[in-house]
Amino acid sequence: MSAPEVELSGVRRSFGATQALRGVSLAVRRGEVYGLVGPDGAGKTTAIRMLAGLLRPDEGHARVLGEDPSHPSSPVREQLGLVPQRNSLYGDLSVDENLRFFARLFGLSRADFATRRERLLSITRLERFTERRADALSGGMYKKLALACALLHRPRVLLLDEPTNGVDPVSRRELWELLYGLVHEGMTLVVSTPYMDEAARCHRVGLLYAGEVIAEGAPRELARAHGVAPGNFEAVFLELIRGRAA
Ligand SMILES: Nc1ncnc2c1ncn2[C@@H]1O[C@H](COP(=O)(O)OP(=O)(O)OP(=O)(O)O)[C@@H](O)[C@H]1O
Ligand SMILES: [Mg+2]
């Protein structure tokens, strides 16, 4: 089997007295959609930021394409795309201006930007809204623009922190179709979500609870192992948590 493209190994990280991650290990292979599923405060954002190289572990290590993403000169940074949980765009700038800003940040040439802009506006269906300020976009359109900005430089690994939070069910479905399209092209995705029903959309999930992965596997297998209907993650989660409290 090929080496994992994304990896956390025995990662611990505290903020003061709060242990945000308490020994998390996971490995994601090329073309996989891995879901980090857990309630508020479980450690999802901390794990994503670590994979993006924005935070260092106190213990253990993060690897993306075999490299340490937190290393300032790591070439792997160019291979990484990040859709942060919130406020990742400039609210006062228009859709087009945000795209142009991030393109400059990534060092895209004018010609490359023109090609990417057209393609990304088309797949996100934002063509008709290029002049609209980011702050004036709906929740779903804002997330699509954040996704478009994260894809400008053609990353091979995409990290998405709660990409469908605050997004209506129709836009949510559209966003997932978009994500599957990217995976089809060979991208590797790590997606965090607090929504248990969304877990079923991932190839594999890690259920994150209080800084630990308390179960991992394909959604159907996890449901079967816990004797619940496929996709009923709430039941799996509640049973696991009850098991720990007992
Ligand atoms: N910079 C920080 N300073 C202090 N505490 C932090 C910091 N970042 C995270 N924490 C704490 O670490 C724990 C995990 O936080 P994290 O943001 O990773 O959770 P999450 O699963 O993303 O939650 P949410 O669904 O609310 O986004 C929480 O208790 C949080 O308060
Ligand atoms: Mg979070």
Side-chain angles (χ1 to χ4, degrees):
M1 258 217 258
S2 57
E5 296 219 331
V6 175
E7 211 178 352
L8 290 179
S9 175
V11 166
R12 292 180 173 274
R13 173 72 201 218
S14 295
F15 298 100
T18 306
Q19 291 184 293
L21 296 178
R22 301 191 294 165
V24 168
S25 296
L26 56 88
V28 186
R29 293 185 188 281
R30 183 171 171 82
E32 225 183 354
V33 181
Y34 187 95
L36 266 177
V37 185
D40 290 354
K44 302 182 296 296
T45 296
T46 306
I48 297 258
R49 291 182 66 201
M50 210 147 267
L51 289 171
L54 300 172
L55 264 184
R56 282 173 197 262
D58 294 332
E59 270 179 52
H61 64 252
R63 292 276 181 277
V64 176
L65 304 171
E67 308 261 346
D68 175 359
S70 73
H71 198 278
S73 60
S74 175
V76 81
R77 289 180 164 224
E78 288 170 23
Q79 310 269 12
L80 264 172
L82 170 66
V83 181
Q85 185 166 357
R86 55 177 80 91
N87 304 333
S88 57
L89 305 170
Y90 285 91
D92 287 339
L93 298 187
S94 69
V95 167
D96 235 347
E97 287 166 339
N98 268 288
L99 283 169
R100 217 171 305 136
F101 175 82
F102 284 97
R104 234 175 272 147
L105 216 60
F106 293 132
L108 262 64
S109 71
R110 199 177 280 234
D112 198 16
F113 173 61
T115 315
R116 291 302 281 161
R117 175 184 174 278
E118 194 174 333
R119 163 109 177 103
L120 292 168
L121 285 174
S122 156
I123 64 169
T124 52
R125 302 212 200 122
L126 285 169
E127 301 109 321
R128 287 191 296 117
F129 305 98
T130 52
E131 299 305 315
R132 193 176 288 189
R133 284 173 50 238
D135 267 354
L137 295 172
S138 69
M141 290 202 298
Y142 187 99
K143 293 282 190 180
K144 282 180 194 161
L145 178 57
L147 177 63
C149 290
L151 290 173
L152 276 164
H153 62 306
R154 299 184 177 85
R156 175 158 160 185
V157 172
L158 185 63
L159 309 169
L160 304 110
D161 198 1
E162 300 198 23
T164 65
N165 202 351
V167 173
D168 72 63
V170 175
S171 302
R172 217 162 136 185
R173 180 181 294 249
E174 280 176 9
L175 257 166
W176 271 102
E177 277 165 13
L178 229 160
L179 296 182
Y180 288 135
L182 299 172
V183 169
H184 192 70
E185 292 169 14
M187 211 178 273
T188 303
L189 263 56
V190 178
V191 185
S192 87
T193 177
Y195 301 127
M196 302 295 157
D197 60 319
E198 246 178 12
R201 294 186 182 271
C202 302
H203 298 142
R204 220 148 47 84
V205 294
L207 301 188
L208 199 59
Y209 181 70
E212 286 183 82
V213 175
I214 57 173
E216 194 187 50
R220 281 181 168 275
E221 283 164 22
L222 276 179
R224 198 179 311 129
H226 290 84
V228 302
N232 189 358
F233 264 83
E234 225 155 279
V236 174
F237 222 98
L238 292 174
E239 194 190 305
L240 283 163
I241 292 168
R242 232 190 340 259
R244 294 172 76 80

mmCIF file with all atom_site columns, all heavy atoms in Angstrom, residues 92-110:
data_model
loop_
_atom_site.group_PDB
_atom_site.id
_atom_site.type_symbol
_atom_site.label_atom_id
_atom_site.label_alt_id
_atom_site.label_comp_id
_atom_site.label_asym_id
_atom_site.label_entity_id
_atom_site.label_seq_id
_atom_site.pdbx_PDB_ins_code
_atom_site.Cartn_x
_atom_site.Cartn_y
_atom_site.Cartn_z
_atom_site.occupancy
_atom_site.B_iso_or_equiv
_atom_site.pdbx_formal_charge
_atom_site.auth_seq_id
_atom_site.auth_comp_id
_atom_site.auth_asym_id
_atom_site.auth_atom_id
_atom_site.pdbx_PDB_model_num
ATOM 1   N N   . ASP A 1 92  ? -14.820 43.003 3.295   1.00 0.00 ? 92  ASP A N   1
ATOM 2   C CA  . ASP A 1 92  ? -15.006 44.243 2.536   1.00 0.00 ? 92  ASP A CA  1
ATOM 3   C C   . ASP A 1 92  ? -14.628 44.089 1.076   1.00 0.00 ? 92  ASP A C   1
ATOM 4   O O   . ASP A 1 92  ? -14.913 44.969 0.265   1.00 0.00 ? 92  ASP A O   1
ATOM 5   C CB  . ASP A 1 92  ? -14.129 45.363 3.126   1.00 0.00 ? 92  ASP A CB  1
ATOM 6   C CG  . ASP A 1 92  ? -14.690 45.837 4.446   1.00 0.00 ? 92  ASP A CG  1
ATOM 7   O OD1 . ASP A 1 92  ? -15.893 45.614 4.684   1.00 0.00 ? 92  ASP A OD1 1
ATOM 8   O OD2 . ASP A 1 92  ? -13.923 46.407 5.241   1.00 0.00 ? 92  ASP A OD2 1
ATOM 9   N N   . LEU A 1 93  ? -13.960 42.987 0.760   1.00 0.00 ? 93  LEU A N   1
ATOM 10  C CA  . LEU A 1 93  ? -13.556 42.783 -0.637  1.00 0.00 ? 93  LEU A CA  1
ATOM 11  C C   . LEU A 1 93  ? -14.614 41.955 -1.366  1.00 0.00 ? 93  LEU A C   1
ATOM 12  O O   . LEU A 1 93  ? -15.307 41.134 -0.753  1.00 0.00 ? 93  LEU A O   1
ATOM 13  C CB  . LEU A 1 93  ? -12.208 42.056 -0.712  1.00 0.00 ? 93  LEU A CB  1
ATOM 14  C CG  . LEU A 1 93  ? -10.984 42.759 -0.094  1.00 0.00 ? 93  LEU A CG  1
ATOM 15  C CD1 . LEU A 1 93  ? -9.722  41.977 -0.427  1.00 0.00 ? 93  LEU A CD1 1
ATOM 16  C CD2 . LEU A 1 93  ? -10.859 44.189 -0.582  1.00 0.00 ? 93  LEU A CD2 1
ATOM 17  N N   . SER A 1 94  ? -14.702 42.179 -2.656  1.00 0.00 ? 94  SER A N   1
ATOM 18  C CA  . SER A 1 94  ? -15.666 41.423 -3.465  1.00 0.00 ? 94  SER A CA  1
ATOM 19  C C   . SER A 1 94  ? -15.148 40.003 -3.690  1.00 0.00 ? 94  SER A C   1
ATOM 20  O O   . SER A 1 94  ? -13.998 39.683 -3.360  1.00 0.00 ? 94  SER A O   1
ATOM 21  C CB  . SER A 1 94  ? -15.864 42.108 -4.812  1.00 0.00 ? 94  SER A CB  1
ATOM 22  O OG  . SER A 1 94  ? -14.680 41.977 -5.583  1.00 0.00 ? 94  SER A OG  1
ATOM 23  N N   . VAL A 1 95  ? -16.011 39.181 -4.288  1.00 0.00 ? 95  VAL A N   1
ATOM 24  C CA  . VAL A 1 95  ? -15.639 37.807 -4.642  1.00 0.00 ? 95  VAL A CA  1
ATOM 25  C C   . VAL A 1 95  ? -14.362 37.820 -5.483  1.00 0.00 ? 95  VAL A C   1
ATOM 26  O O   . VAL A 1 95  ? -13.382 37.134 -5.189  1.00 0.00 ? 95  VAL A O   1
ATOM 27  C CB  . VAL A 1 95  ? -16.796 37.138 -5.412  1.00 0.00 ? 95  VAL A CB  1
ATOM 28  C CG1 . VAL A 1 95  ? -16.354 35.841 -6.069  1.00 0.00 ? 95  VAL A CG1 1
ATOM 29  C CG2 . VAL A 1 95  ? -17.981 36.881 -4.467  1.00 0.00 ? 95  VAL A CG2 1
ATOM 30  N N   . ASP A 1 96  ? -14.374 38.662 -6.519  1.00 0.00 ? 96  ASP A N   1
ATOM 31  C CA  . ASP A 1 96  ? -13.227 38.744 -7.421  1.00 0.00 ? 96  ASP A CA  1
ATOM 32  C C   . ASP A 1 96  ? -11.976 39.241 -6.709  1.00 0.00 ? 96  ASP A C   1
ATOM 33  O O   . ASP A 1 96  ? -10.876 38.727 -6.919  1.00 0.00 ? 96  ASP A O   1
ATOM 34  C CB  . ASP A 1 96  ? -13.551 39.697 -8.578  1.00 0.00 ? 96  ASP A CB  1
ATOM 35  C CG  . ASP A 1 96  ? -13.354 39.000 -9.912  1.00 0.00 ? 96  ASP A CG  1
ATOM 36  O OD1 . ASP A 1 96  ? -12.753 37.910 -9.915  1.00 0.00 ? 96  ASP A OD1 1
ATOM 37  O OD2 . ASP A 1 96  ? -13.826 39.534 -10.922 1.00 0.00 ? 96  ASP A OD2 1
ATOM 38  N N   . GLU A 1 97  ? -12.166 40.261 -5.860  1.00 0.00 ? 97  GLU A N   1
ATOM 39  C CA  . GLU A 1 97  ? -11.005 40.833 -5.156  1.00 0.00 ? 97  GLU A CA  1
ATOM 40  C C   . GLU A 1 97  ? -10.401 39.818 -4.181  1.00 0.00 ? 97  GLU A C   1
ATOM 41  O O   . GLU A 1 97  ? -9.182  39.746 -4.021  1.00 0.00 ? 97  GLU A O   1
ATOM 42  C CB  . GLU A 1 97  ? -11.417 42.110 -4.420  1.00 0.00 ? 97  GLU A CB  1
ATOM 43  C CG  . GLU A 1 97  ? -11.656 43.274 -5.373  1.00 0.00 ? 97  GLU A CG  1
ATOM 44  C CD  . GLU A 1 97  ? -12.380 44.440 -4.703  1.00 0.00 ? 97  GLU A CD  1
ATOM 45  O OE1 . GLU A 1 97  ? -13.049 44.228 -3.658  1.00 0.00 ? 97  GLU A OE1 1
ATOM 46  O OE2 . GLU A 1 97  ? -12.310 45.550 -5.238  1.00 0.00 ? 97  GLU A OE2 1
ATOM 47  N N   . ASN A 1 98  ? -11.256 39.035 -3.528  1.00 0.00 ? 98  ASN A N   1
ATOM 48  C CA  . ASN A 1 98  ? -10.727 37.991 -2.641  1.00 0.00 ? 98  ASN A CA  1
ATOM 49  C C   . ASN A 1 98  ? -9.908  36.985 -3.441  1.00 0.00 ? 98  ASN A C   1
ATOM 50  O O   . ASN A 1 98  ? -8.810  36.604 -3.038  1.00 0.00 ? 98  ASN A O   1
ATOM 51  C CB  . ASN A 1 98  ? -11.867 37.281 -1.898  1.00 0.00 ? 98  ASN A CB  1
ATOM 52  C CG  . ASN A 1 98  ? -12.171 37.922 -0.551  1.00 0.00 ? 98  ASN A CG  1
ATOM 53  O OD1 . ASN A 1 98  ? -11.396 37.802 0.398   1.00 0.00 ? 98  ASN A OD1 1
ATOM 54  N ND2 . ASN A 1 98  ? -13.293 38.619 -0.483  1.00 0.00 ? 98  ASN A ND2 1
ATOM 55  N N   . LEU A 1 99  ? -10.455 36.555 -4.575  1.00 0.00 ? 99  LEU A N   1
ATOM 56  C CA  . LEU A 1 99  ? -9.740  35.587 -5.412  1.00 0.00 ? 99  LEU A CA  1
ATOM 57  C C   . LEU A 1 99  ? -8.384  36.149 -5.835  1.00 0.00 ? 99  LEU A C   1
ATOM 58  O O   . LEU A 1 99  ? -7.359  35.469 -5.746  1.00 0.00 ? 99  LEU A O   1
ATOM 59  C CB  . LEU A 1 99  ? -10.570 35.230 -6.648  1.00 0.00 ? 99  LEU A CB  1
ATOM 60  C CG  . LEU A 1 99  ? -11.726 34.256 -6.426  1.00 0.00 ? 99  LEU A CG  1
ATOM 61  C CD1 . LEU A 1 99  ? -12.619 34.204 -7.662  1.00 0.00 ? 99  LEU A CD1 1
ATOM 62  C CD2 . LEU A 1 99  ? -11.220 32.859 -6.083  1.00 0.00 ? 99  LEU A CD2 1
ATOM 63  N N   . ARG A 1 100 ? -8.400  37.411 -6.250  1.00 0.00 ? 100 ARG A N   1
ATOM 64  C CA  . ARG A 1 100 ? -7.160  38.036 -6.725  1.00 0.00 ? 100 ARG A CA  1
ATOM 65  C C   . ARG A 1 100 ? -6.146  38.161 -5.579  1.00 0.00 ? 100 ARG A C   1
ATOM 66  O O   . ARG A 1 100 ? -4.963  37.911 -5.760  1.00 0.00 ? 100 ARG A O   1
ATOM 67  C CB  . ARG A 1 100 ? -7.465  39.408 -7.324  1.00 0.00 ? 100 ARG A CB  1
ATOM 68  C CG  . ARG A 1 100 ? -6.587  39.696 -8.529  1.00 0.00 ? 100 ARG A CG  1
ATOM 69  C CD  . ARG A 1 100 ? -7.015  40.955 -9.265  1.00 0.00 ? 100 ARG A CD  1
ATOM 70  N NE  . ARG A 1 100 ? -8.405  40.932 -9.673  1.00 0.00 ? 100 ARG A NE  1
ATOM 71  C CZ  . ARG A 1 100 ? -9.253  41.964 -9.542  1.00 0.00 ? 100 ARG A CZ  1
ATOM 72  N NH1 . ARG A 1 100 ? -8.847  43.090 -8.994  1.00 0.00 ? 100 ARG A NH1 1
ATOM 73  N NH2 . ARG A 1 100 ? -10.493 41.856 -9.972  1.00 0.00 ? 100 ARG A NH2 1
ATOM 74  N N   . PHE A 1 101 ? -6.667  38.500 -4.393  1.00 0.00 ? 101 PHE A N   1
ATOM 75  C CA  . PHE A 1 101 ? -5.782  38.646 -3.237  1.00 0.00 ? 101 PHE A CA  1
ATOM 76  C C   . PHE A 1 101 ? -5.064  37.323 -2.936  1.00 0.00 ? 101 PHE A C   1
ATOM 77  O O   . PHE A 1 101 ? -3.845  37.278 -2.761  1.00 0.00 ? 101 PHE A O   1
ATOM 78  C CB  . PHE A 1 101 ? -6.587  39.100 -2.004  1.00 0.00 ? 101 PHE A CB  1
ATOM 79  C CG  . PHE A 1 101 ? -5.763  39.146 -0.750  1.00 0.00 ? 101 PHE A CG  1
ATOM 80  C CD1 . PHE A 1 101 ? -4.961  40.249 -0.482  1.00 0.00 ? 101 PHE A CD1 1
ATOM 81  C CD2 . PHE A 1 101 ? -5.761  38.088 0.143   1.00 0.00 ? 101 PHE A CD2 1
ATOM 82  C CE1 . PHE A 1 101 ? -4.168  40.281 0.662   1.00 0.00 ? 101 PHE A CE1 1
ATOM 83  C CE2 . PHE A 1 101 ? -4.970  38.117 1.284   1.00 0.00 ? 101 PHE A CE2 1
ATOM 84  C CZ  . PHE A 1 101 ? -4.179  39.220 1.547   1.00 0.00 ? 101 PHE A CZ  1
ATOM 85  N N   . PHE A 1 102 ? -5.842  36.226 -2.880  1.00 0.00 ? 102 PHE A N   1
ATOM 86  C CA  . PHE A 1 102 ? -5.230  34.927 -2.553  1.00 0.00 ? 102 PHE A CA  1
ATOM 87  C C   . PHE A 1 102 ? -4.322  34.435 -3.679  1.00 0.00 ? 102 PHE A C   1
ATOM 88  O O   . PHE A 1 102 ? -3.297  33.813 -3.425  1.00 0.00 ? 102 PHE A O   1
ATOM 89  C CB  . PHE A 1 102 ? -6.299  33.899 -2.190  1.00 0.00 ? 102 PHE A CB  1
ATOM 90  C CG  . PHE A 1 102 ? -6.849  34.112 -0.804  1.00 0.00 ? 102 PHE A CG  1
ATOM 91  C CD1 . PHE A 1 102 ? -8.029  34.798 -0.591  1.00 0.00 ? 102 PHE A CD1 1
ATOM 92  C CD2 . PHE A 1 102 ? -6.147  33.646 0.306   1.00 0.00 ? 102 PHE A CD2 1
ATOM 93  C CE1 . PHE A 1 102 ? -8.514  35.026 0.698   1.00 0.00 ? 102 PHE A CE1 1
ATOM 94  C CE2 . PHE A 1 102 ? -6.615  33.869 1.596   1.00 0.00 ? 102 PHE A CE2 1
ATOM 95  C CZ  . PHE A 1 102 ? -7.805  34.564 1.795   1.00 0.00 ? 102 PHE A CZ  1
ATOM 96  N N   . ALA A 1 103 ? -4.675  34.781 -4.907  1.00 0.00 ? 103 ALA A N   1
ATOM 97  C CA  . ALA A 1 103 ? -3.831  34.377 -6.034  1.00 0.00 ? 103 ALA A CA  1
ATOM 98  C C   . ALA A 1 103 ? -2.460  35.034 -5.920  1.00 0.00 ? 103 ALA A C   1
ATOM 99  O O   . ALA A 1 103 ? -1.427  34.413 -6.165  1.00 0.00 ? 103 ALA A O   1
ATOM 100 C CB  . ALA A 1 103 ? -4.492  34.771 -7.349  1.00 0.00 ? 103 ALA A CB  1
ATOM 101 N N   . ARG A 1 104 ? -2.452  36.299 -5.486  1.00 0.00 ? 104 ARG A N   1
ATOM 102 C CA  . ARG A 1 104 ? -1.182  37.014 -5.321  1.00 0.00 ? 104 ARG A CA  1
ATOM 103 C C   . ARG A 1 104 ? -0.371  36.393 -4.197  1.00 0.00 ? 104 ARG A C   1
ATOM 104 O O   . ARG A 1 104 ? 0.835   36.214 -4.283  1.00 0.00 ? 104 ARG A O   1
ATOM 105 C CB  . ARG A 1 104 ? -1.469  38.485 -5.022  1.00 0.00 ? 104 ARG A CB  1
ATOM 106 C CG  . ARG A 1 104 ? -0.742  39.408 -5.992  1.00 0.00 ? 104 ARG A CG  1
ATOM 107 C CD  . ARG A 1 104 ? -1.124  40.846 -5.777  1.00 0.00 ? 104 ARG A CD  1
ATOM 108 N NE  . ARG A 1 104 ? -2.300  41.237 -6.528  1.00 0.00 ? 104 ARG A NE  1
ATOM 109 C CZ  . ARG A 1 104 ? -3.206  42.122 -6.126  1.00 0.00 ? 104 ARG A CZ  1
ATOM 110 N NH1 . ARG A 1 104 ? -3.107  42.691 -4.952  1.00 0.00 ? 104 ARG A NH1 1
ATOM 111 N NH2 . ARG A 1 104 ? -4.219  42.416 -6.897  1.00 0.00 ? 104 ARG A NH2 1
ATOM 112 N N   . LEU A 1 105 ? -1.093  36.030 -3.132  1.00 0.00 ? 105 LEU A N   1
ATOM 113 C CA  . LEU A 1 105 ? -0.445  35.384 -1.979  1.00 0.00 ? 105 LEU A CA  1
ATOM 114 C C   . LEU A 1 105 ? 0.242   34.085 -2.404  1.00 0.00 ? 105 LEU A C   1
ATOM 115 O O   . LEU A 1 105 ? 1.333   33.762 -1.952  1.00 0.00 ? 105 LEU A O   1
ATOM 116 C CB  . LEU A 1 105 ? -1.531  35.078 -0.948  1.00 0.00 ? 105 LEU A CB  1
ATOM 117 C CG  . LEU A 1 105 ? -1.203  35.196 0.524   1.00 0.00 ? 105 LEU A CG  1
ATOM 118 C CD1 . LEU A 1 105 ? -0.764  36.605 0.865   1.00 0.00 ? 105 LEU A CD1 1
ATOM 119 C CD2 . LEU A 1 105 ? -2.448  34.842 1.342   1.00 0.00 ? 105 LEU A CD2 1
ATOM 120 N N   . PHE A 1 106 ? -0.420  33.345 -3.277  1.00 0.00 ? 106 PHE A N   1
ATOM 121 C CA  . PHE A 1 106 ? 0.120   32.055 -3.717  1.00 0.00 ? 106 PHE A CA  1
ATOM 122 C C   . PHE A 1 106 ? 1.110   32.228 -4.870  1.00 0.00 ? 106 PHE A C   1
ATOM 123 O O   . PHE A 1 106 ? 1.694   31.254 -5.335  1.00 0.00 ? 106 PHE A O   1
ATOM 124 C CB  . PHE A 1 106 ? -0.997  31.114 -4.178  1.00 0.00 ? 106 PHE A CB  1
ATOM 125 C CG  . PHE A 1 106 ? -1.916  30.669 -3.073  1.00 0.00 ? 106 PHE A CG  1
ATOM 126 C CD1 . PHE A 1 106 ? -3.292  30.720 -3.242  1.00 0.00 ? 106 PHE A CD1 1
ATOM 127 C CD2 . PHE A 1 106 ? -1.409  30.162 -1.885  1.00 0.00 ? 106 PHE A CD2 1
ATOM 128 C CE1 . PHE A 1 106 ? -4.147  30.296 -2.234  1.00 0.00 ? 106 PHE A CE1 1
ATOM 129 C CE2 . PHE A 1 106 ? -2.259  29.736 -0.875  1.00 0.00 ? 106 PHE A CE2 1
ATOM 130 C CZ  . PHE A 1 106 ? -3.627  29.814 -1.042  1.00 0.00 ? 106 PHE A CZ  1
ATOM 131 N N   . GLY A 1 107 ? 1.248   33.450 -5.358  1.00 0.00 ? 107 GLY A N   1
ATOM 132 C CA  . GLY A 1 107 ? 2.213   33.717 -6.419  1.00 0.00 ? 107 GLY A CA  1
ATOM 133 C C   . GLY A 1 107 ? 1.796   33.190 -7.786  1.00 0.00 ? 107 GLY A C   1
ATOM 134 O O   . GLY A 1 107 ? 2.647   32.805 -8.597  1.00 0.00 ? 107 GLY A O   1
ATOM 135 N N   . LEU A 1 108 ? 0.498   33.181 -8.050  1.00 0.00 ? 108 LEU A N   1
ATOM 136 C CA  . LEU A 1 108 ? 0.026   32.721 -9.367  1.00 0.00 ? 108 LEU A CA  1
ATOM 137 C C   . LEU A 1 108 ? 0.358   33.766 -10.441 1.00 0.00 ? 108 LEU A C   1
ATOM 138 O O   . LEU A 1 108 ? 0.249   34.970 -10.180 1.00 0.00 ? 108 LEU A O   1
ATOM 139 C CB  . LEU A 1 108 ? -1.499  32.529 -9.344  1.00 0.00 ? 108 LEU A CB  1
ATOM 140 C CG  . LEU A 1 108 ? -2.032  31.115 -9.136  1.00 0.00 ? 108 LEU A CG  1
ATOM 141 C CD1 . LEU A 1 108 ? -1.622  30.603 -7.760  1.00 0.00 ? 108 LEU A CD1 1
ATOM 142 C CD2 . LEU A 1 108 ? -3.543  31.088 -9.267  1.00 0.00 ? 108 LEU A CD2 1
ATOM 143 N N   . SER A 1 109 ? 0.713   33.299 -11.602 1.00 0.00 ? 109 SER A N   1
ATOM 144 C CA  . SER A 1 109 ? 0.946   34.239 -12.699 1.00 0.00 ? 109 SER A CA  1
ATOM 145 C C   . SER A 1 109 ? -0.415  34.761 -13.165 1.00 0.00 ? 109 SER A C   1
ATOM 146 O O   . SER A 1 109 ? -1.453  34.168 -12.880 1.00 0.00 ? 109 SER A O   1
ATOM 147 C CB  . SER A 1 109 ? 1.643   33.533 -13.860 1.00 0.00 ? 109 SER A CB  1
ATOM 148 O OG  . SER A 1 109 ? 0.731   32.648 -14.474 1.00 0.00 ? 109 SER A OG  1
ATOM 149 N N   . ARG A 1 110 ? -0.367  35.870 -13.904 1.00 0.00 ? 110 ARG A N   1
ATOM 150 C CA  . ARG A 1 110 ? -1.610  36.474 -14.394 1.00 0.00 ? 110 ARG A CA  1
ATOM 151 C C   . ARG A 1 110 ? -2.398  35.478 -15.262 1.00 0.00 ? 110 ARG A C   1
ATOM 152 O O   . ARG A 1 110 ? -3.609  35.341 -15.109 1.00 0.00 ? 110 ARG A O   1
ATOM 153 C CB  . ARG A 1 110 ? -1.249  37.712 -15.209 1.00 0.00 ? 110 ARG A CB  1
ATOM 154 C CG  . ARG A 1 110 ? -2.383  38.669 -15.390 1.00 0.00 ? 110 ARG A CG  1
ATOM 155 C CD  . ARG A 1 110 ? -1.883  39.879 -16.133 1.00 0.00 ? 110 ARG A CD  1
ATOM 156 N NE  . ARG A 1 110 ? -1.175  40.787 -15.235 1.00 0.00 ? 110 ARG A NE  1
ATOM 157 C CZ  . ARG A 1 110 ? -1.493  42.080 -15.108 1.00 0.00 ? 110 ARG A CZ  1
ATOM 158 N NH1 . ARG A 1 110 ? -2.460  42.579 -15.818 1.00 0.00 ? 110 ARG A NH1 1
ATOM 159 N NH2 . ARG A 1 110 ? -0.836  42.855 -14.285 1.00 0.00 ? 110 ARG A NH2 1
#
